[in-house]
Amino acid sequence: MEDKNKSGQEQKGGLKRRDILKGMASVPVLGLFGYEFAKSESLKKKAEPPVNMLKELGLNQELSFNISNRGTGKPGNALRLGIIGAGSRSQSLLFHTGFATRERLDGMDKEQMERWMDYKDLNVVLTGVADVFDLHAERAMDAARHSVKAMAGEKNLPKVKRFRHYQEMLASDDVDAVIIATPDHHHAHITIEAIQAGKHVYCEKAPTRTEEEIFQMEAALKGAKPVYQLGHQIRHNPIYPFAADLVKKGVLGQVNLVETTTNRNTSRGAWVRHLKGDGTPRPGDPRSIDWDQWLGDRPKVPFSIDRYYNWTKYWDYATGLLGQLFSHEFDAVNGILNCGIPASCMCSGGIYYYKDGREIPDLMQAVFEYPDQGMTLIYSATLANSRSRGRVFMGRDASMEIGSTLSVIADRDSEKYKDKLDKKLIDTSKPMFTIGAGGADATTSATEKYYADRGLTSVSIGGKSMDVTHLHLREWLDVIRNGGQVSCNIDWAFQEAITIQMAKKSYLEKRQVFWDPVKRQIV
Amino acid sequence: MNISKTQSVSLFLLRVFIGWHFLYEGLIKVLNPDWTSAGFLSQSKGLFSGIFQAIAENTSMLHAVNFLNQWGLVIIGLGLMLGLFTRLFSILGMVLLLLYYLATPPFPGLEYNMATEGSYLVVNKNLIEAAALLLLSVFPSGEQYGFDLLLKKKTTKQ
């Protein structure tokens, strides 16, 4: 080493100025590092968002469950429930009121069991089961025997009775309130008969199958004492009231376009349900199914396992996509905007993929116009593609997407947020805020995932998970006992049913239809 | 060892740049109270993934590893930049980089959910930086431009 030798000779091992300079050669680099580091840190500090948008916009910082809890009386004064229609949906409704089949109980882990046992405070018993299919009726009877009350060791619980015909149940003094989860063609007339028999009603959507039925139902419920709740559990997903609040506070500006969608791509999602996952047929034959009762006032046709399980495919029993899925979409939108019945509707579509003899379309677009509110609602659906399209509310100042979570993105041309946009306090490439964590439990099928994504299953807030169906049923029971208003009463049901019927009429007649608010009819 | 001036300046630059990189990686972690190696460790794959994942799951181990990693980076970075104990810090830095490499080796078939720039097959930047430190550990760069020179002179004087 040339340098070292030289300096060694010069200094005889001692330190020279030259060595000190060489030894500290990198100190200026360290200085440069310090300067750059300080600069980068101060830039980072400046870049941190100094505004809490929720606070800024006057919105709640946290979500909370609306748990109806005004008292459920002494254990001896349990409310006596009857279930009419004990198919797949009813299993979930019963589970969330505290009745589970042995099989379901055995499959639950400790945490699920604890959560379920919390339903004990509903103080209800299941005393009646009415279903046309022996197997389904037996399953509900099994659930009735495995109630939270029974699991908690409560004695002398009333026995559950199977009624061969729902009318026998309505005539019975052993039932105070009924949950109706039949196919759609039975919803309206059973609701009316139940109300007239003095029973409280929780009925699944869609409220009715026809236009005529909703007027009959409205008349029957006017001034009636029993409580009617339509089964739109989304009302109890806390982000929906939050969304209604933010729209009211003008966070989105004037909402002018709302787009709601359905995309599913499984045969189950398209209501082909008479086969099990492994391709073998599901049970059911004319001996175990009371086919005449199932048909009711519908045209007499020979027993058909296809019609029994896949009734949604036929206009005789349902309204297809409209009653099954758009109904949830409409309720979500109406609950947020309170937009009511549209002035007009244009609906088109067709049977594009499922050429299995069905009558209802598997692809549909419907445009609902609200000229007085300066708004249009679009529903677009396909049963042959599973791309996830959200539910979007578009306003002059921001757009909101809402499903199991809610996020709001500022509009880049917004006047309201211009100042913050100019100062780069708001970035239009990402939400101003996102709220709500989809707390869906492990979902097992594509169809379940669809419901979870749209906010219709369980919700988790701060580690506490609750099922929205339970909350919605709980509210109904609470109003029965303590009075007040349910969140999805006949007025909401009326608006929804009319809107569905407008779309159905438009689709079938291939023309735009209008709502005449004076004559109160679809023209 | 006979090293030309160009050679020693080249080694000096390599050493200062690696030191700079270590120091910055260390300091941003030290200054961020939320920083943790848990995410990195938990997605470890390959032969040693069991050990790395076990660390991520054990709170006290994770704390110790976080502490050692962030301050290790700072001290190694300073040492390399200043050319102080260059050989020791070159070797320590190399060990640290090889641990990163072994935790998430870029072997065919292994995929990670990490933001990465560039494309790597077996050899990645961690491995290259480790090799550069191996090189520095066998050349006495600190004794040409660095505090090691001052140390050496002092000891020779006595």
Side-chain angles (χ1 to χ4, degrees):
Chain A
M1 293 195 137
E2 208 183 328
D3 279 1
K4 201 178 78 183
N5 291 343
K6 221 188 264 171
S7 63
Q9 278 161 12
E10 278 168 14
Q11 295 301 311
K12 294 183 184 97
L15 267 174
K16 250 234 134 173
R17 203 168 67 113
R18 186 182 164 78
D19 292 329
I20 295 174
L21 283 176
K22 283 170 79 180
M24 295 175 64
S26 55
V27 172
V29 186
L30 195 62
L32 181 66
F33 176 93
Y35 171 74
E36 293 293 338
F37 186 76
K39 201 160 84 181
S40 112
E41 285 297 300
S42 83
L43 280 175
K44 256 188 236 166
K45 280 209 178 80
K46 262 187 217 151
E48 273 165 30
V51 279
N52 173 343
M53 281 311 292
L54 290 177
K55 204 170 163 186
E56 191 89 352
L57 295 164
L59 302 171
N60 286 335
Q61 300 285 303
E62 276 168 23
L63 295 171
S64 59
F65 288 113
N66 170 18
I67 307 171
S68 310
N69 228 349
R70 291 179 290 164
T72 53
K74 292 202 176 84
N77 296 333
L79 201 75
R80 298 163 309 161
L81 297 178
I83 181 99
I84 301 175
S88 58
R89 177 61 186 154
S90 86
Q91 288 198 70
S92 179
L93 294 165
L94 289 178
F95 180 81
H96 290 297
T97 32
F99 308 96
T101 56
R102 184 75 249 170
E103 195 187 347
R104 178 114 187 222
L105 281 181
D106 291 344
M108 266 157 40
D109 63 27
K110 195 164 160 273
E111 201 190 317
Q112 289 169 323
M113 191 73 192
E114 275 170 17
R115 246 170 73 189
W116 183 69
M117 287 302 288
D118 281 347
Y119 294 166
K120 189 168 174 292
D121 66 344
L122 287 180
N123 196 17
V124 289
V125 287
L126 185 61
T127 50
V129 172
D131 194 282
V132 298
F133 186 15
D134 294 338
L135 184 79
H136 289 176
E138 284 305 323
R139 202 169 54 195
M141 303 281 282
D142 182 41
R145 287 187 281 264
H146 298 105
S147 64
V148 278
K149 279 176 171 279
M151 301 314 282
E154 227 175 279
K155 298 276 179 260
N156 302 323
L157 292 169
K159 288 236 169 342
V160 58
K161 185 178 171 195
R162 177 171 177 199
F163 296 92
R164 290 283 155 184
H165 200 286
Y166 76 90
Q167 284 170 336
E168 292 167 29
M169 183 196 281
L170 296 181
S172 160
D173 284 335
D174 297 332
V175 172
D176 304 315
V178 293
I179 296 174
I180 303 170
T182 60
D184 290 11
H185 62 287
H186 288 299
H187 285 177
H189 76 89
I190 298 183
T191 297
I192 293 168
E193 287 173 65
I195 295 289
Q196 285 167 350
K199 314 288 186 200
H200 306 283
V201 172
Y202 179 103
C203 185
E204 271 300 310
K205 49 77 199 170
T208 70
R209 190 184 67 86
T210 66
E211 183 184 345
E212 198 186 357
E213 283 173 342
I214 189 61
F215 288 107
Q216 292 166 353
M217 227 171 91
E218 192 198 29
L221 276 155
K222 193 156 276 173
K225 268 175 86 179
V227 179
Y228 167 84
Q229 169 97 302
L230 177 62
H232 279 305
Q233 66 270 25
I234 209 162
R235 297 275 172 157
H236 279 85
N237 185 329
I239 64 172
Y240 286 80
F242 181 89
D245 180 53
L246 76 82
V247 169
K248 204 181 279 172
K249 286 179 175 150
V251 171
L252 306 182
Q254 196 216 321
V255 174
N256 48 73
L257 184 59
V258 179
E259 190 178 48
T260 71
T261 57
T262 289
N263 279 49
R264 303 211 289 201
N265 195 10
T266 62
S267 51
R268 187 174 163 75
W271 302 293
V272 180
R273 298 182 174 178
H274 61 293
L275 299 175
K276 293 181 193 160
D278 60 6
T280 56
R282 286 188 188 277
D285 54 46
R287 278 187 313 256
S288 57
I289 293 173
D290 179 351
W291 185 240
D292 275 346
Q293 194 189 158
W294 188 89
L295 284 174
D297 69 347
R298 305 286 70 224
K300 295 280 174 254
V301 291
F303 176 79
S304 156
I305 200 74
D306 171 49
R307 283 173 184 259
Y308 176 74
Y309 277 109
N310 310 330
W311 48 269
T312 307
K313 289 169 27 181
Y314 304 95
W315 293 116
D316 268 349
Y317 319 116
T319 50
L321 278 163
L322 292 168
Q324 295 305 303
L325 301 173
F326 170 69
S327 57
H328 279 309
E329 299 303 312
F330 179 77
D331 186 64
V333 175
N334 201 20
I336 292 170
L337 299 180
N338 200 0
C339 51
I341 299 169
S344 71
C345 171
M346 183 70 216
C347 177
S348 69
I351 301 162
Y352 285 59
Y353 182 78
Y354 284 96
K355 301 192 187 295
D356 56 0
R358 69 178 57 209
E359 297 165 357
I360 58 118
D362 59 14
L363 185 137
M364 171 178 270
Q365 331 294 327
V367 179
F368 303 90
E369 286 170 356
Y370 294 84
D372 294 345
Q373 300 170 47
M375 182 194 91
T376 285
L377 163 65
I378 295 176
Y379 176 61
S380 167
T382 171
L383 295 177
N385 176 284
S386 66
R387 179 185 168 91
S388 173
R389 292 188 290 167
R391 190 189 283 136
V392 187
F393 291 66
M394 289 161 256
R396 279 275 291 158
D397 295 304
S399 297
M400 168 174 76
E401 183 161 358
I402 183 166
S404 62
T405 59
L406 177 162
S407 58
V408 174
I409 298 184
D411 195 275
R412 63 167 174 264
D413 299 317
S414 161
E415 283 295 320
K416 182 182 169 82
Y417 302 117
K418 190 176 187 315
D419 194 39
K420 287 198 173 59
L421 288 165
D422 289 348
K423 287 183 188 155
K424 301 214 184 308
L425 294 172
I426 296 177
D427 179 356
T428 55
S429 69
K430 57 187 175 204
M432 290 198 282
F433 58 85
T434 295
I435 200 157
D441 292 335
T443 48
T444 51
S445 71
T447 310
E448 280 177 50
K449 189 171 181 327
Y450 172 88
Y451 290 121
D453 285 347
R454 304 193 91 77
L456 290 158
T457 56
S458 62
V459 175
S460 176
I461 300 173
K464 186 181 163 78
S465 183
M466 298 211 78
D467 192 278
V468 293
T469 296
H470 167 74
L471 294 170
H472 200 53
L473 284 156
R474 174 181 278 271
E475 181 193 59
W476 172 60
L477 297 168
D478 190 65
V479 172
I480 291 173
R481 285 194 169 100
N482 304 304
Q485 274 297 326
V486 289
S487 50
C488 209
N489 61 16
I490 180 65
D491 297 335
W492 296 101
F494 184 83
Q495 294 173 1
E496 175 183 320
I498 293 294
T499 307
I500 288 172
Q501 294 305 323
M502 285 172 76
K504 176 182 160 186
K505 197 179 179 81
S506 170
Y507 174 80
L508 290 173
E509 297 181 10
K510 299 191 184 305
R511 67 177 180 91
Q512 191 176 25
V513 300
F514 299 86
W515 171 243
D516 183 334
V518 181
K519 288 188 188 148
R520 298 185 90 229
Q521 64 182 39
I522 301 169
V523 290
Chain B
M1 203 182 290
N2 251 341
I3 295 182
S4 73
K5 190 161 183 176
T6 323
Q7 285 168 333
S8 32
V9 169
S10 308
L11 287 170
F12 169 78
L13 281 177
L14 182 64
R15 197 193 76 214
V16 167
F17 289 167
I18 295 177
W20 180 299
H21 180 213
F22 267 68
L23 183 58
Y24 184 62
E25 284 280 14
L27 279 180
I28 51 162
K29 290 175 176 66
V30 169
L31 291 180
N32 176 3
D34 296 328
W35 179 81
T36 171
S37 58
F40 174 78
L41 292 172
S42 62
Q43 62 166 312
S44 173
K45 284 183 185 142
L47 197 55
F48 302 100
S49 59
I51 306 168
F52 292 111
Q53 282 168 9
I55 296 171
E57 280 156 25
N58 181 320
T59 321
S60 52
M61 284 255 274
L62 185 65
H63 273 298
V65 165
N66 285 345
F67 181 84
L68 285 174
N69 183 57
Q70 57 194 17
W71 285 106
L73 284 167
V74 169
I75 291 164
I76 293 167
L78 275 174
L80 290 174
M81 252 184 146
L82 296 173
L84 179 67
F85 308 123
T86 312
R87 178 159 297 170
L88 172 72
F89 285 130
S90 296
I91 291 166
L92 286 179
M94 189 170 71
V95 169
L96 208 49
L97 287 165
L98 287 175
L99 285 174
Y100 301 156
Y101 177 79
L102 291 175
T104 54
F107 293 166
L110 301 184
E111 279 175 27
Y112 303 95
N113 296 322
M114 285 183 293
T116 45
E117 102 291 13
S119 314
Y120 306 103
L121 178 71
V122 183
V123 174
N124 64 7
K125 289 185 186 173
N126 281 335
L127 195 63
I128 296 167
E129 200 169 12
L133 285 175
L134 175 69
L135 179 85
L136 286 172
S137 74
V138 296
F139 286 93
S141 153
E143 291 175 14
Q144 285 138 20
Y145 297 102
F147 278 69
D148 284 342
L149 171 67
L150 307 181
L151 275 182
K152 193 181 158 87
K153 290 281 169 178
K154 263 206 148 158
T155 37
T156 345
K157 195 180 172 187
Q158 280 157 3

